[in-house]
């Protein structure tokens, strides 16, 4: 079999989009609209590649340019829930090293993510496993809202949800204007609170300008002008999955209110009523408290496998020397144990 890679260009952009649409692992975060948003608003230096088997597209790889000293490499696209390499179901993972060989002609290292654990097991190059994250996925076919309410949520969690309805709060969908300003204000405050990365306002405005109304939903919860919270979901109606991406929370509400619970519950019901089968609550480490809170709605953790592949002999040698030096340091370190 003959494999080749091509940088994304105007002449092959339609083939990228076609593959993303028909592939089961495709996503809005692999679309060229998302690429344009990352480049135009965040100024990222993206390097997208298509993988060919003879003349057939069998994979797409969204990357960002990354350099360490004089060594050039590629990394997964930041600020994207899905940045994984996508391969056609017909691709033989035993040939993955042939793809890596092609990247080694121009790059010294490659950092990638995949849901397929067998892919990383096939790598012949020296590679380093990252601390794996997880996608938190709720399967609504297995856990519809009625079952979540009756069998999964605790009495205390059901109270946190119903407290908003009894308190006179209502849900409103927004598109732009002053309501978007308010959403962004509390999104920013929430990110400051959790020490997260704050996207600029232009990112959200660009998202609404680039994506159609059936691809983005912003729901806010208010009561007589009091903003309680908001949730921005990126929608994939073809694959019937909703990505709950950005949360805006008013943390000055009385302690009896937990807007994140109500927003999750409202979003679950909206997705169910509109024919969606899965909800993604984002990427988290298993030990993160936010992951445990999202699991309370019946979501499960789907492992993401990440690797740094050392493609050049020089980088591999430097890494091996560093590992050897570190092991020798540990072997000769004085004991800190106490003999009693």
């Amino acid at each position: 079999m003959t494999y080749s890679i091509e940088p994304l260009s105007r002449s092959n952009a339609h083939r990228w989009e076609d593959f993303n649409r028909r592939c089961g692992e495709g996503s809005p975060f692999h679309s060229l609209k998302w690429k344009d948003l990352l480049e135009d608003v965040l100024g990222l230096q993206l390097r997208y590649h298509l993988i060919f088997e003879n003349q057939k597209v069998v994979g797409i790889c969204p990357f960002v340019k990354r350099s360490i000293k004089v060594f050039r490499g590629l990394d997964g696209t930041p600020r994207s829930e899905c940045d994984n390499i996508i391969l056609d179901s017909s691709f033989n993972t035993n040939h993955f090293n042939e793809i890596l060989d092609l990247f080694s002609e121009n790059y010294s290292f490659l950092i990638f993510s995949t849901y397929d654990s067998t892919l990383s097991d096939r790598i012949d190059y020296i590679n380093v496993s990252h601390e794996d994250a997880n996608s938190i996925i709720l399967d609504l076919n297995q856990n519809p809202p009625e079952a979540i309410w009756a069998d999964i949520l605790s009495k205390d969690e059901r109270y946190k949800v119903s407290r908003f309805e009894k308190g006179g709060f209502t849900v409103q969908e927004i598109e732009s204007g002053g309501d978007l300003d308010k959403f962004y204000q509390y999104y920013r405050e929430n990110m400051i609170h959790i020490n997260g990365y704050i996207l600029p306002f232009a990112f959200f405005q660009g998202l609404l300008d680039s994506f159609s109304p059936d691809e983005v939903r912003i729901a806010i919860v208010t009561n007589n002008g009091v903003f309680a919270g908001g949730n921005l979901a990126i929608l994939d109606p073809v694959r019937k999955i909703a990505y709950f991406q950005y949360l805006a929370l008013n943390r000055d509400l009385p302690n009896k209110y937990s807007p994140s619970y109500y927003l999750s519950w409202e979003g679950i019901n909206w997705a169910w009523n509109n024919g969606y089968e899965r909800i993604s609550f984002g990427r988290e480490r298993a030990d993160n408290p936010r992951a445990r809170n999202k699991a309370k709605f019946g979501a499960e953790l789907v492992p993401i496998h990440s690797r740094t592949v050392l493609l050049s002999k020089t980088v591999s040698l430097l890494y091996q020397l560093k590992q050897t030096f570190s092991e020798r340091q540990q072997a000769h370190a004085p004991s800190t144990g106490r003999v009693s």
Side-chain angles (χ1 to χ4, degrees), residues 182-192 197-200 204 246-249:
K182 185 68 69 174
F183 174 90
Y184 183 78
Q185 172 191 339
Y186 286 101
Y187 153 80
R188 188 175 186 279
E189 290 183 8
N190 182 50
M191 297 307 291
I192 291 173
Y197 179 86
I198 303 172
L199 291 163
F204 294 91
Y246 308 107
L247 200 60
L249 298 177

Side-chain angles (χ1 to χ4, degrees), residues 231-246:
N231 179 36
L232 189 154
I234 295 175
L235 309 173
D236 188 342
V238 175
R239 298 174 186 86
K240 300 181 180 180
I241 179 170
Y243 298 88
F244 290 6
Q245 280 295 107
Y246 308 107

Side-chain angles (χ1 to χ4, degrees), residues 71-90:
F71 302 108
R72 295 196 312 156
L74 297 171
D75 195 354
T77 52
R79 317 307 163 202
S80 306
E81 180 172 330
C82 299
D83 62 355
N84 47 308
I85 290 179
I86 297 179
L87 296 170
D88 190 80
S89 58
S90 65

Side-chain angles (χ1 to χ4, degrees), residues 16-31 60 62 82-88 115 235-241 243 278:
W16 176 289
E17 292 284 60
D18 288 344
F19 184 85
N20 185 40
R21 276 193 292 267
R22 65 179 172 82
C23 184
E25 283 193 30
S27 77
F29 307 97
H30 289 84
S31 70
I60 55 175
C82 299
D83 62 355
N84 47 308
I85 290 179
I86 297 179
L87 296 170
D88 190 80
Y115 289 111
L235 309 173
D236 188 342
V238 175
R239 298 174 186 86
K240 300 181 180 180
I241 179 170
Y243 298 88
R278 290 177 294 159

Side-chain angles (χ1 to χ4, degrees), residues 164-198:
F164 278 86
E165 296 171 353
K166 294 177 181 178
F169 286 88
T170 59
V171 178
Q172 174 190 356
E173 294 186 18
I174 66 169
E175 295 182 1
S176 59
D179 287 325
L180 182 60
D181 294 338
K182 185 68 69 174
F183 174 90
Y184 183 78
Q185 172 191 339
Y186 286 101
Y187 153 80
R188 188 175 186 279
E189 290 183 8
N190 182 50
M191 297 307 291
I192 291 173
H193 180 82
I194 65 175
N195 197 30
Y197 179 86
I198 303 172

Side-chain angles (χ1 to χ4, degrees), residues 68-72 104 107-109 125-126 309-322:
I68 301 177
K69 302 293 185 181
V70 298
F71 302 108
R72 295 196 312 156
S104 71
Y107 298 101
S108 297
F109 62 91
Y125 287 87
I126 293 175
V309 184
L310 308 181
L311 298 174
S312 79
K313 293 181 179 179
T314 302
V315 171
S316 298
L317 178 60
L318 290 173
Y319 174 76
Q320 290 174 310
L321 288 172
K322 180 181 178 181

Side-chain angles (χ1 to χ4, degrees), residues 24-237:
E25 283 193 30
S27 77
F29 307 97
H30 289 84
S31 70
L32 297 187
K33 288 190 292 187
W34 187 260
K35 174 181 179 292
D36 291 342
L37 185 65
L38 295 179
E39 288 180 323
D40 295 345
V41 178
L42 302 184
L44 298 178
Q45 299 182 52
L46 301 181
R47 300 289 185 270
Y48 280 31
H49 292 79
L50 294 88
I51 301 173
F52 288 85
E53 181 182 318
N54 298 319
Q55 300 301 314
K56 177 186 176 183
V57 179
V58 294
I60 55 175
C61 310
F63 290 121
V64 65
K65 178 182 176 183
R66 193 77 71 198
S67 297
I68 301 177
K69 302 293 185 181
V70 298
F71 302 108
R72 295 196 312 156
L74 297 171
D75 195 354
T77 52
R79 317 307 163 202
S80 306
E81 180 172 330
C82 299
D83 62 355
N84 47 308
I85 290 179
I86 297 179
L87 296 170
D88 190 80
S89 58
S90 65
F91 180 80
N92 187 340
T93 56
N94 290 320
H95 297 155
F96 188 51
N97 286 286
E98 297 178 44
I99 306 302
L100 295 175
D101 291 342
L102 297 171
F103 280 104
S104 71
E105 296 176 8
N106 294 303
Y107 298 101
S108 297
F109 62 91
L110 183 69
I111 304 172
F112 75 94
S113 298
T114 177
Y115 289 111
D116 185 357
S117 61
T118 63
L119 193 64
S120 53
D121 294 339
R122 300 291 191 271
I123 301 173
D124 292 335
Y125 287 87
I126 293 175
N127 64 94
V128 184
S129 175
H130 297 189
E131 186 173 2
D132 290 339
N134 304 273
S135 287
I136 306 176
I137 304 295
L138 172 61
D139 187 333
L140 291 173
N141 289 323
Q142 292 183 359
N143 293 313
E146 184 178 353
I148 294 172
W149 187 263
D151 303 326
I152 296 177
L153 292 178
S154 68
K155 181 179 179 180
D156 179 63
E157 288 154 2
R158 290 196 298 268
Y159 172 80
K160 289 178 179 179
V161 169
S162 60
R163 188 71 188 84
F164 278 86
E165 296 171 353
K166 294 177 181 178
F169 286 88
T170 59
V171 178
Q172 174 190 356
E173 294 186 18
I174 66 169
E175 295 182 1
S176 59
D179 287 325
L180 182 60
D181 294 338
K182 185 68 69 174
F183 174 90
Y184 183 78
Q185 172 191 339
Y186 286 101
Y187 153 80
R188 188 175 186 279
E189 290 183 8
N190 182 50
M191 297 307 291
I192 291 173
H193 180 82
I194 65 175
N195 197 30
Y197 179 86
I198 303 172
L199 291 163
F201 180 82
F203 181 88
F204 294 91
Q205 188 62 65
L207 184 62
L208 293 177
D209 292 342
S210 303
F211 285 71
S212 64
D214 63 347
E215 294 174 316
V216 178
R217 177 183 188 251
I218 304 179
I220 62 172
V221 179
T222 61
N223 184 356
N224 292 323
V226 176
F227 184 96
N231 179 36
L232 189 154
I234 295 175
L235 309 173
D236 188 342

